Amino acid sequence: MTEPRKTRVFGPDSSTGLRLAVVDDEAEFRSLVRRVSEPLGWTVVEYENGRKLIDDLARPPYPDLILLDMVMPHLDGIETVSWLASTSHRCPIILVSGKLPAYSDVAVSVGEARGLEIIDVLRKPVEIGRLREALSPDRLGIAARSRNGSD
């Protein structure tokens, strides 16, 4: 028997718009990201770990951006980046690290060497202004790409 899905989707309309996958084992941080990103136009999909993200990537809709914590149970950031690099899933990734900043450096090296677009690395605790800047669809060039359906 499979475990029931615990993925939580937030936003005014989860079937349209930009999709942000927030992968972090800290519910408080996922909630902060949701509060900052929804006014920017993101529909937020929350995951407690990389394994849950991978399970969801088996079917559309796919995220336009992944915000990925480095230290999590079940499947950590480096393992998730390695898995993403071994598939055809391609979307920008923002890495988040609090406990082991050097860990994100390894994930950047692994991801970029294997063709992933690691666009930013945030350090916890993340300042709200810095988070807002990192998630700006205009800054990322994601809004136009998604509207054109070329992603």
Side-chain angles (χ1 to χ4, degrees):
M1 180 177 208
T2 60
E3 178 181 327
R5 283 182 65 185
K6 294 182 181 176
T7 302
R8 298 183 65 197
V9 179
F10 298 93
D13 182 356
S14 62
S15 66
T16 62
L18 298 171
R19 293 179 61 85
L20 171 63
V22 180
V23 189
D24 195 301
D25 58 327
E26 297 176 18
E28 186 175 316
F29 184 73
R30 293 192 314 265
S31 178
L32 170 67
V33 172
R34 180 173 31 87
R35 289 190 312 271
V36 169
S37 62
E38 284 180 343
L40 297 172
W42 292 102
T43 296
V44 177
V45 186
E46 294 184 11
Y47 303 93
E48 298 171 357
N49 58 60
R51 172 64 52 211
K52 293 188 184 290
L53 170 70
I54 288 170
D55 291 346
D56 238 21
L57 288 176
R59 63 202 161 285
Y62 303 112
D64 295 292
L65 176 66
I66 298 171
L67 188 126
L68 178 64
D69 188 31
M70 289 289 87
V71 180
M72 299 176 289
H74 306 297
L75 199 67
D76 69 17
I78 291 177
E79 293 167 322
T80 303
V81 165
S82 295
W83 182 88
L84 288 166
S86 72
T87 71
S88 61
H89 292 288
R90 291 292 182 265
C91 75
I93 300 169
I94 296 174
L95 302 176
V96 182
S97 180
K99 297 176 183 165
L100 302 170
Y103 203 56
S104 58
D105 296 340
V106 173
V108 168
S109 296
V110 168
E112 289 180 347
R114 298 182 67 195
L116 294 180
E117 185 181 5
I118 310 292
I119 60 171
D120 211 337
V121 177
L122 303 176
R123 304 285 183 218
K124 289 182 181 176
V126 179
E127 294 178 11
I128 291 181
R130 175 74 173 98
L131 181 60
R132 188 176 294 117
E133 174 191 338
L135 295 173
S136 169
D138 292 334
R139 175 186 163 259
L140 301 172
I142 291 175
R145 190 168 69 215
S146 294
R147 278 195 292 267
N148 294 331
S150 61
D151 201 22

